[in-house]
Amino acid sequence: MSDGQTVWLAVIAIAVAVMAVMQVVVALVALKAAREMTLTVAELRRDLKPVIDKTSRLVDEATRVASLASLQVERVDRLLANTVERIDETLSLVQTAVIRPVRQGAALVAGVRAALSALRAWQDKSRHSRDDDEALFVG
């Protein structure tokens, strides 16, 4: 082998050794980063567990409140339906008890007025017929 070949072979050997050292360094850095990430994830889990538990309790409570609100809305709806039905029944009773007798009374009053008008008309007719008879009297 010549000196040039030996030099190039030494350069290649040094380059391979440097690459091997670099790969070991990269592997150690990756291992350290993986450990740090594992610790960070564990810490994050530890910190977020109470938040997740509290959120879960809040969701359960919100579900319960929504269920109770729905039940109350149904109760109010039934109450309003019953109230409207009772008001309708009451108005029907009032109409039967008050308005019909008032109409009957109004009809009675109209009948009395008609009778009085007829009586007045008959009396006026009697007066006019006497005046007409006296005017025709020659005497």
Side-chain angles (χ1 to χ4, degrees), residues 7-109:
V7 169
W8 284 113
L9 189 59
V11 169
I12 291 173
I14 291 172
V16 168
V18 168
M19 284 178 23
V21 169
M22 291 292 280
Q23 286 178 350
V24 168
V25 169
V26 167
L28 289 175
V29 168
L31 183 63
K32 183 179 177 186
R35 283 184 187 159
E36 287 179 9
M37 189 178 293
T38 302
L39 290 174
T40 303
V41 167
E43 184 179 328
L44 188 61
R45 277 187 188 162
R46 189 185 71 233
D47 291 344
L48 288 180
K49 184 160 178 49
V51 173
I52 292 171
D53 291 341
K54 189 171 186 176
T55 304
S56 177
R57 284 191 308 263
L58 287 174
V59 167
D60 292 343
E61 186 67 20
T63 302
R64 186 180 72 81
V65 167
S67 174
L68 289 174
S70 175
L71 183 63
Q72 290 298 329
V73 167
E74 288 175 12
R75 285 181 183 167
V76 167
D77 184 46
R78 276 186 263 137
L79 176 70
L80 287 177
N82 288 339
T83 302
V84 167
E85 186 178 325
R86 287 182 182 168
I87 288 172
D88 189 39
E89 289 173 4
T90 302
L91 289 176
S92 295
L93 288 173
V94 166
Q95 184 175 7
T96 302
V98 174
I99 294 176
R100 284 186 186 165
V102 167
R103 285 183 184 164
Q104 291 172 353
L108 181 65
V109 167

